[in-house]
Amino acid sequence: MAKTLNAAEVAKHNTAGSCWVILYGNVYDVTNFLPQHPGGSKIILQLAGQNATAEYDPVHPPGTLEEHLPPEASLGHVDPDTLPENEAQKEEQQLETGIPPLENLLNLDEIEDIATRQISRKAWAYYFSAADDLKSKRMNNEAYGSILLRPRIFVDCEKCDLSTTFLGHKVGSPIFVSPAAMARLAHPSGEAGIAQACSRFGVMQLISNNASMTPEQIVADALPDQMFGWQLYAQIDQKKSEAMLDRVSRLADKIKFVCLTLDAPVPGKREDDERSQSIASTLPITSAVQAADVVRPRGGGIGAQLFFGTSPKLTWKLTLPWLMKHTSLPLVLKGIQTHEDAYLAYLYAPQVKGIILSNHGGRAADTAPPAIHTLLEIRKYCPEVFEKLEIFVDGGFRRGTDIAKALCLGAKGVGIGRAALWGLAAGGPAGVERTLEILQTELKTTMRLLGAQDIQHLGPIHVNARMIEQHIYDGPAGLEKLKMWVSSKL
């Protein structure tokens, strides 16, 4: 019979030498696990002797306890009558409950507004935050307003087909969900809830390396033809990445490609996230924390914690061969921000099948260009890239008109990240469905007004990008030097 422990007894074990925590009403001795915790021991020690459920649950996939702790680490149950009221629980109880019906929300701004009032301050800060002064984040949203549409008349627009292909696989829409970490901060259904919504529209989901659920859990209820990709942050400990690649390869009937993220080799300075940090970080610094031997940078919120262990040493010469050795899945590179890097990826085809133009949602280098700038830069300096690589665009899409403009300029698909999380926070899987429904309806309207019956009929003739072209890089192309460099390495 399981032992029942008093919360006051648990509270005594709050040092690195004896660290107990309460999770889901059970008491665990995690002393021996402290050095192994991927996020470092400090975050655990800040909750030593306390109920850590509110901190733990949204950011750990189900089954994590059983995977990492031996049975003897479970010490028994805590007497619920002895638990103090948790401040995080107080905050959650104060969140607004009366939201309007989802069908009454008409655009993504309204969905984000509802989501902001539904989630904790910590979750909002992690989702909303961007680097430094948020200039890149704002430019991501604003750039599409400088591109004008060129509607056509006397064109039969009764039918409109959004279906297309990604890497040879048919999808129902050119919209996909970009890697969006920690979805269970928004809603208990997490990434699986996003997958459920995507299934309705045939939308591809690119699963975050830092998802709050396991890949197996996310794809478990997927439809037979539903498409997923897997985002990879290459780790300093390569064996961890290799183990994950092996795990993903066993899900190849669902996960169709690996996406190596390159636009954030180090975390950007996200001040909203740092101010919020976590519930634990607002607690008094205990002797346990002071005694911990933790060598890691001070400050940082959830984002910085998730980046710990990510390798900053990736190179064309070493990383691509290593990656190709450990997966047979098609490879897509995420985070291209210049025409030079797009051209380098082109030179590494067919090992590289596609690229995602992205500045990490404005969360890495502030004042890095919006992805639409990079798309125009590629069109200007090295249009041959379109012949070998599928080019996807990520970041800043708020309207169907934005999506149409990117498709007209050559994007194969368009990714939404925060929008999916806001939808999930506003209404669970149904909120994500509403987000996708709004975007798809707006996109269809735009295509009809442009006179395009399907995605293949969209082209540069449908837009006027002269206003935004003045902001595009105007220096030397430098392609011959890049070609010679790659030739010497291959």
Side-chain angles (χ1 to χ4, degrees), residues 17-350:
S18 179
C19 181
W20 294 7
V21 292
I22 301 167
L23 294 169
Y24 309 111
N26 298 315
V27 180
Y28 295 91
D29 183 348
V30 296
T31 309
N32 294 332
F33 178 66
L34 290 175
Q36 305 168 33
H37 185 237
S41 60
K42 181 178 179 180
I43 189 66
I44 298 178
L45 288 168
Q46 286 176 317
L47 291 162
Q50 302 170 59
N51 185 1
T53 306
E55 272 290 308
Y56 173 92
D57 182 74
V59 296
H60 290 84
T64 302
L65 283 171
E66 292 78 5
E67 181 180 350
H68 293 286
L69 294 180
E72 57 270 22
S74 179
L75 305 179
H77 305 302
V78 67
D79 182 350
D81 294 332
T82 65
L83 283 171
E85 186 173 8
N86 188 286
E87 290 300 318
Q89 291 172 344
K90 285 182 184 178
E91 178 186 3
E92 298 298 334
Q93 291 166 4
Q94 293 169 1
L95 298 176
E96 294 192 27
T97 55
I99 64 170
L102 290 171
E103 60 267 24
N104 289 357
L105 303 179
L106 302 182
N107 56 59
L108 269 58
D109 289 335
E110 292 180 359
I111 290 176
E112 181 177 340
D113 179 63
I114 294 299
T116 299
R117 289 186 269 148
Q118 287 295 111
I119 58 176
S120 68
R121 171 73 187 183
K122 176 186 67 173
W124 173 86
Y126 175 61
Y127 292 163
F128 179 86
S129 64
D132 297 351
D133 298 312
L134 282 66
K135 291 182 178 179
S136 283
K137 182 186 177 187
R138 283 193 294 271
M139 286 192 293
N140 285 350
N141 298 138
E142 296 168 357
Y144 295 96
S146 298
I147 302 173
L148 303 181
L149 296 173
R150 301 186 68 240
R152 301 300 302 272
I153 63 170
F154 266 147
V155 179
D156 183 351
C157 59
E158 180 182 7
K159 297 179 181 178
C160 187
D161 181 11
L162 296 185
S163 66
T164 184
T165 59
F166 290 169
L167 305 176
H169 300 278
K170 187 170 182 178
V171 290
S173 171
I175 303 169
F176 67 91
V177 174
S178 299
M182 297 293 109
R184 290 179 69 230
L185 285 171
H187 190 270
S189 64
E191 290 80 5
I194 295 176
Q196 178 185 331
C198 289
S199 68
R200 176 183 164 190
F201 300 96
V203 165
M204 187 270 286
Q205 180 181 0
L206 184 43
I207 302 171
S208 171
N209 186 96
N210 294 319
S212 54
M213 304 177 75
T214 67
E216 293 85 358
Q217 292 164 343
I218 295 167
V219 306
D221 296 323
L223 297 179
D225 59 348
Q226 191 169 345
M227 184 180 180
F228 296 85
W230 176 261
Q231 178 203 35
L232 178 70
Y233 281 115
Q235 301 295 296
I236 295 171
D237 182 352
Q238 285 191 334
K239 292 193 178 301
K240 291 182 178 179
S241 295
E242 291 165 8
M244 180 53 74
L245 288 170
D246 180 64
R247 185 172 172 182
V248 167
S249 70
R250 294 195 290 271
L251 299 170
D253 60 323
K254 300 295 182 188
I255 299 178
K256 301 300 185 182
F257 66 97
V258 170
C259 173
L260 180 63
T261 289
L262 299 164
D263 48 11
V266 295
K269 184 188 178 193
R270 308 173 192 174
E271 294 179 7
D272 284 308
D273 192 27
E274 289 192 29
R275 288 190 189 96
S276 175
Q277 293 189 4
S278 63
I279 296 170
S281 66
T282 65
L283 300 172
I285 299 298
T286 65
S287 59
V289 177
Q290 294 168 351
D293 183 16
V294 181
V295 182
R296 60 175 57 224
R298 296 186 64 182
I302 295 175
Q305 295 170 24
L306 294 179
F307 267 93
F308 188 77
T310 301
S311 175
K313 298 182 179 181
L314 308 186
T315 65
W316 294 97
K317 180 180 178 181
L318 298 178
T319 306
L320 286 182
W322 162 77
L323 192 53
M324 299 307 297
K325 179 181 177 182
H326 291 283
T327 183
S328 59
L329 291 171
L331 177 61
V332 173
L333 303 182
K334 180 180 182 291
I336 304 297
Q337 297 167 83
T338 65
H339 77 271
E340 293 97 329
D341 281 337
Y343 187 72
L344 281 169
Y346 159 84
L347 295 177
Y348 278 93

